[in-house]
Amino acid sequence: MNAIESLVGEFARLPGIGRKTAQRLTYHLLKASRDDARRLARAVERVAAEVKLCGACGNLSDLDPCEYCADPRRDRLQVCVVEEASDIPAIEKSGNYGGLYHVLGGRLSPLDGVGPDDLNLRGLVTRVGDGVREIIIATNPSVEGEATATYLHRLLGASSDVTVTRLARGLPVGGDLEYADGVTIAEAFSGRREM
Amino acid sequence: MNAIESLVGEFARLPGIGRKTAQRLTYHLLKASRDDARRLARAVERVAAEVKLCGACGNLSDLDPCEYCADPRRDRLQVCVVEEASDIPAIEKSGNYGGLYHVLGGRLSPLDGVGPDDLNLRGLVTRVGDGVREIIIATNPSVEGEATATYLHRLLGASSDVTVTRLARGLPVGGDLEYADGVTIAEAFSGRREM
């Protein structure tokens, strides 16, 4: 296969990128300076070579322990449990959370054959034993995410020293009540707070 | 900058890829096997290193002359003039054309400061002198593409030996008359053919 077709093929394997977009990206790289293309190649290569799982929390990082686990200013008594490492930047951007993280690497999904043994749970149980005060469960508000949260609550809630919390569900800020789905509105009602 | 942020940044420089998509692609590469990422890196590197302009037609290819110019089965008396190398795969896919190509590398656009000297025109004039019978102008049906076509017609039509043609304009196949714009419908009327 020639170089152009081969790159179109590789781009088209990425999620959400069809053949036409893959072609557009390839020709863009050819029209842009070759240095741009080389820089992209090096960045991809570097990610493949350097990024690993943080031994403490399961985050993806080029450091082990990762930047959050290694940061002495972060609150070691709070651990926020997320499904994927890619959830962390979204939480960091919200600018409100200063504790540590724990990445499960997925969510319970019997239909896809994902059970408790496929998740990064052992480390979490150990951390709870190490004196963590609060586990904030931030799995996705989906069926599988809820099932995972319930499972974690049962698993960790048995330890009397730790408080297990779950992110609030309700109307998204900037959303429109008219277009919100019934389940979200019901959650927003049951979770309503005094003003 | 760490490896993940640096790749997100490089992806986000590509056209049509915003920061969120760049993040999604990066984490996809991290979740997929490292070999997938390395293959992408190599494909990008290879395109940067191997692809060059065909000396005869200006196409982008890892061969010089390119696969079309080198193919003895193609009709050397027909040359199809396109704006960009990326237009060629679309024409090839239509499966109807068996001649050669000529890539201008852009279109006349005084507002963007693109004049005749910025296009790959010298080679085209030489090729016409070499006994080409028909020049098919396949610039885009845009204002700039039309201006470029008119310019090429004046430049090449002076040679009495060569026929200069232009791709037909009209209703796109599968399109809807109701939603076609007025200029297209007018072109379809003026270009109507006896059934």
Side-chain angles (χ1 to χ4, degrees), chain B residues 69-92:
Chain B
C69 289
D71 186 343
R73 288 162 307 178
R74 297 194 77 107
D75 181 354
R76 279 154 201 279
L77 302 180
Q78 278 189 322
V79 172
C80 175
V81 181
V82 294
E83 292 182 15
E84 303 289 352
S86 49
D87 297 327
I88 295 179
I91 296 176
E92 283 298 301

Side-chain angles (χ1 to χ4, degrees), chain A residues 1-4 10 13 15 24 27-28 30-31 34 36-37 39 44 46-48 51 60 62 84 86, chain B residues 1-4 10 13 15 24 27-28 30-31 34 36-37 39 44 46-48 51 60 62 84 86:
Chain A
M1 210 185 322
N2 73 41
I4 296 180
E10 290 301 327
R13 291 165 60 96
R24 194 161 45 82
Y27 281 104
H28 168 84
L30 286 168
K31 286 213 85 171
R34 295 296 155 106
D36 279 14
R39 228 178 23 242
V44 175
R46 202 179 139 202
V47 146
V51 175
L60 291 163
D62 32 8
E84 303 288 353
S86 49
Chain B
M1 209 184 325
N2 72 41
I4 295 181
E10 290 299 327
R13 291 166 59 97
R24 195 161 45 82
Y27 281 104
H28 168 84
L30 287 167
K31 287 214 83 171
R34 294 297 154 107
D36 280 13
R39 228 178 23 243
V44 175
R46 204 181 137 200
V47 147
V51 175
L60 291 163
D62 33 9
E84 303 289 352
S86 49

Side-chain angles (χ1 to χ4, degrees), chain A residues 82-101:
Chain A
V82 294
E83 293 182 14
E84 303 288 353
S86 49
D87 297 327
I88 296 180
I91 295 176
E92 284 297 302
K93 239 176 86 184
S94 78
N96 236 327
Y97 179 66
L100 301 182
Y101 290 99

